[in-house]
Structures are given as structure tokens and as C-alpha cells.
Amino acid sequence: MKPGVSRRALLTGTAAAAGLGLAGCGSVTGGLSDRTRVKQWNLLAGADGAIMTEMHGNFSDEHPDVELEATTFGWGTPFYTRLVMGASSGNAADIATIHLSRLKSVSPDTLLDAITIDELTEVGIDAADFPEKIWDKCFHDDRLYALPLDTHALVNYYNKDVCQQIGALNADGTLIDTTGREAYFDLLRAAKEVTGQFGTSLDTFGGWRQFWAWYRQADGEMTFGDDDFEMDDDKALQAIETMYLMAEEGLCPTFSDGAQCAANFENGAAAFVQVGNWEINRFKLFGGDNPEWFSMTEMPDFFGNRRTQGDCHSFVLPHHNSWDPEVRKATVEYAAYMLKHSYRWGEGGGHTPSYLPVTDSPEYQALQPNAEYSGVVQNVQFDPDAWFSGSAARLFDETGSIFNQVYALTMKPEAALELMKDRIHTLLALPNPVD
């Protein structure tokens, strides 16, 4: 029996760990040494990946009895394919870092092992240590399958010098608030006068993030059934029109992949950039002796609030045919260590830690520029619930190729909306490959 615990049992503390006394066929205790080997898989190859590597080194220094073997795979499909294949054979890593939005798409009841209350209590972790809406997403069929490390989301970076020139800073040096799409466009127009190129940069290949942020700001919902889905066409069209209008006026690039998106901000071609908070370390390093040349805040209010597209990196336990009890114990200790030391994850990686004892601490609340966008935890909007949805999933890719044409001004918003709906219907007709 795989270890598991119901939501009620988790909250009341009545569950007991099960199945931990069997001999392990994954990582092994001992071997050529008396250290317990823990295999970890992740998909963090960017600037935040360097911070995780640093944290892994710290964990190893403080746990000399544990041999942590961490492996980074290609972001997106390569990682999830490897995870599914390994877990289906019962011989994957002991712990893996996935996007919380992908939890259901990796068939947790068959490919993951649940986590018990006793294990969490033993390492000093409690349900009250996490934001409720994020904690609830860690469950499937009333069993806990994930431990959230952070909240990461689409945010708004700004060049302090340019914003000072256009009068866009408050007295304390933070970016002024704007309300409504046109008010923010005015800000971009003023910035474009200074940069001579764009007001803002963004990833025109990752348009799903902007779409979902603006669609959710307008209270747009997207729900999926067995063979159909519901979406508010008017609100969806409004979000797509925002892309087209921004590009048509030259306020953003018509073509900008992930690398060029960040480069436009670094080289001064754009005074703003809408990209994930994971780029913070890159921009600090670019500044050299002036790492505070920029700051960042939440997504601007276009349609009544500051909701934004986002996700959580989370730890899961890939299914094992059997667990070595020492390996299992060391694995949960590793997860707890990463949560309790996630101040460094927020400081260097830019992600907002999900572990409240860290984010509520005076040390983190004084951290800049992180504190300026800390409200993103309340405003983050997870992708709609479907096997083909979530970070690096088919919905992101299929819609991204459409929105890229909108930014390029080669497809009008009305045509993009219809094509988007066709693509979603095609995805609905496909069987979940994990099933």
C-alpha cells in the first residue's frame, strides 16, 4: 500500500505512516559508504537553478550522513516525460520538483506517493505553514501529494532611471500605481519616448501568461468537461486585443523570445519588462556594481485588479515499488530543509516562498525588491484545471503559437480567438497520455 493520508486525517494528526518498512528499490542506504543516498530531479536550469544548486550544497554540508544526488533535466516536456517514465517503473528519483499546476496531469494516484502527517510532524512542518489556497491544491482525492516551495508569477520589472525621468516614481522610489489599460499604455508611451524603441518588453512566444493574467483580471473563467469547455469569449477577446494594440502602437516588440525579452530590458530598449520573478538574479548580475538599477512590482491593474498568471514549484515523491525507510526519512528531511531555508530561494531566485514562517519574517519583509511584489501570493492565478493545462503543458504551447502571431500583427484578435477555441477542442478530443 502506498503511504497516504486523507485531508481530514492530515489536519487532525491521526494518520500513521504506512509501507515504510519495505526494502527500497530506488535509492539505497549504505552501498559503498554508510551515507544515505537521496536522488532529486528538477527542471531548474535558469538563474534560479544556480540558487537551488547553492542550497543543495548547504544541505549537504549540514547533513554529512546524506548523499544528495541532484539532476537537472530540460525544462518542460523533457522533464515531465522523464518523470512519468521513471515513476511508472517505480524507479524514479526519490523526490522531484514539479509545477503544482501539473500535479493532476502526472496522475498522482498512480505515479506519485502521498505524504503523511507523521512524516511532516517529525520534520516540523504543519498545514498552517502555507497559504490555504496553495495548500489545498496540493491534494488529490483527499491525499497530500505535494509540498509547495514557492509562488512564482508574471510580474512587472522597471528601470528606475527611466521611470524617474518620466515622473513614474513615488517619493519612496517605488513605481506609481495605474488603473486601467489606457493609463498603463500612457506610461509605456512616455517610456518609449526615452528609450527610443519600446515601452515594455515581453515574451511574445509565451503569450499565454499575459492572456491568462488579463483574462482573469476581467473575472474570466475557463472550465473543462469531458468533450467541451466554457470560456467568456468577450473577455478572452479583450485580453487578446490588448496584445494586438500594444504591439500595433510599438509599445512592445512584435517578436521577442525568452532571451531577447530579457535582453531588451537590460540593454535599455525597454523601460519595463513583464516576465517571471525568476529573472531577478539575472538582472542583479547584469547591473554589476549597481544591482539596484531596477526594481519590480506586481502586474499592473488593467481590468480592475492585479491578478497575474503564476504557479508553484513543489516537491513530490515519485512512486516507488517499495521504500527504504532510511531513504524515505532523509527525503522528507531534505524537503523540510528546503522549505525552512527558502529565504535564500526568494532572495536569489526571486520566487516568493510558500512557507509562511519565512515570508512573514521581518527579514523577508525587509528584503528588496521582493517585498514590493510580495502581494503576488494573493493575486496569483493558476492555469485552468485540465490534463493539458499548466506550466510547460500543451495548452501553453498551442495558444502561445497563436498569440505569437497576434504580437507579430499577422493575425487579428478575432481570428486568434476562433483558432484558440479550435485548438482547445482538439486537445479535449485527445486522451490523457499518462492514463
Side-chain angles (χ1 to χ4, degrees):
M1 179 181 294
K2 295 193 298 177
V5 60
S6 71
R7 187 189 306 260
R8 178 174 299 175
L10 185 71
L11 297 178
T12 59
T14 59
L20 302 187
L22 301 176
C25 67
S27 293
V28 294
T29 303
L32 299 179
S33 72
D34 58 356
R35 302 170 69 195
T36 301
R37 183 185 305 160
V38 173
K39 294 189 296 183
Q40 193 266 5
W41 288 356
N42 67 82
L43 71 174
L44 300 161
D48 52 1
I51 302 301
M52 178 162 280
T53 299
E54 175 190 320
M55 294 174 67
H56 283 168
N58 295 338
F59 171 83
S60 295
D61 290 342
E62 296 181 33
H63 297 78
D65 57 330
V66 177
E67 181 182 347
L68 179 63
E69 183 181 294
T71 305
T72 301
F73 296 101
W75 190 88
T77 300
F79 172 80
Y80 284 104
T81 300
R82 183 63 178 263
L83 176 64
V84 168
M85 291 179 64
S88 64
S89 67
N91 193 29
D94 302 305
I95 189 166
T97 309
I98 72 165
H99 298 99
L100 189 54
S101 64
R102 297 295 300 272
L103 181 63
K104 291 185 179 179
S105 73
V106 295
S107 189
D109 51 354
T110 57
L111 295 182
L112 302 179
D113 287 341
I115 305 165
T116 72
I117 184 59
D118 284 354
E119 290 175 298
L120 295 182
T121 300
E122 188 174 347
V123 294
I125 300 295
D126 187 83
D129 293 335
F130 305 92
E132 185 176 358
K133 75 172 185 178
I134 292 176
W135 181 250
D136 287 345
K137 289 189 69 67
C138 296
F139 286 81
H140 176 72
D141 288 344
D142 288 333
R143 290 179 172 229
L144 179 68
Y145 283 98
L147 290 175
L149 174 63
D150 64 42
T151 298
H152 56 278
L154 192 67
V155 295
N156 193 34
Y157 296 76
Y158 58 95
N159 182 305
K160 290 182 178 180
D161 181 60
V162 176
C163 288
Q164 180 68 45
Q165 293 181 55
I166 63 176
L169 297 182
N170 296 307
D172 63 356
T174 58
L175 185 67
I176 61 173
D177 289 336
T178 55
T179 302
R181 182 173 69 186
E182 193 60 26
Y184 192 73
F185 275 18
D186 283 342
L187 199 64
L188 298 185
R189 293 178 183 116
K192 182 181 177 182
E193 289 294 319
V194 176
T195 66
Q197 294 190 61
F198 312 113
T200 188
S201 183
L202 41 76
D203 183 358
T204 64
F205 286 81
W208 169 262
R209 291 193 174 102
Q210 277 82 22
F211 169 82
W212 192 243
W214 294 327
Y215 182 66
R216 290 294 300 131
Q217 283 192 10
D219 295 323
E221 301 283 352
M222 188 180 294
T223 57
F224 298 94
D226 292 336
D227 55 6
D228 204 357
F229 73 102
E230 294 184 6
M231 181 175 70
D232 189 315
D233 285 6
D234 291 338
K235 293 174 180 178
L237 183 60
Q238 177 181 247
I240 300 172
E241 286 175 339
T242 300
M243 302 177 186
Y244 192 90
L245 292 172
M246 189 181 293
E248 185 180 42
E249 196 173 337
L251 300 178
C252 72
T254 56
F255 180 94
S256 178
D257 61 15
Q260 187 60 44
C261 168
N264 287 335
F265 184 59
E266 292 171 333
N267 63 28
F272 300 89
V273 60
Q274 290 182 1
V275 72
N277 50 13
W278 53 84
E279 294 289 7
I280 185 173
N281 199 40
R282 168 180 175 154
F283 293 145
K284 283 182 177 180
L285 292 173
F286 176 82
D289 294 336
N290 181 28
E292 298 180 357
W293 66 278
F294 74 96
S295 191
M296 52 204 290
T297 184
E298 294 184 66
M299 279 285 282
D301 174 349
F302 274 33
F303 303 114
N305 54 74
R306 306 188 76 171
R307 292 174 186 158
T308 187
Q309 190 271 351
D311 210 331
C312 294
H313 291 118
S314 303
F315 294 117
V316 296
L317 307 184
H319 173 57
H320 283 43
N321 293 329
S322 60
W323 276 93
D324 182 298
E326 291 302 316
V327 172
R328 176 87 179 200
K329 179 180 178 181
T331 297
V332 178
E333 286 177 349
Y334 159 81
Y337 177 92
M338 297 296 283
L339 294 174
K340 293 176 181 179
H341 292 79
S342 55
Y343 173 87
R344 180 57 183 144
W345 185 238
E347 177 189 37
H351 308 303
T352 302
S354 294
Y355 190 62
L356 294 178
V358 170
T359 52
D360 290 344
S361 68
E363 182 183 22
Y364 187 84
Q365 290 300 312
L367 184 63
Q368 293 295 337
N370 305 63
E372 191 175 343
Y373 65 89
S374 60
V376 75
V377 173
Q378 285 72 43
N379 284 319
V380 67
Q381 304 295 300
F382 289 89
D383 290 351
D385 193 10
W387 71 262
F388 50 78
S389 180
S391 297
R394 290 285 299 273
L395 183 62
F396 183 97
D397 292 337
E398 294 288 343
T399 58
S401 64
I402 299 170
F403 299 143
N404 184 45
Q405 297 176 70
V406 174
Y407 280 119
L409 305 177
T410 59
M411 183 179 293
K412 291 294 181 68
E414 294 80 6
L417 175 61
E418 292 306 312
L419 183 55
M420 177 183 176
K421 292 162 66 175
D422 288 344
R423 294 278 178 87
I424 293 176
H425 279 297
T426 298
L427 290 172
L428 280 168
L430 298 174
N432 184 343
V434 174
D435 292 341

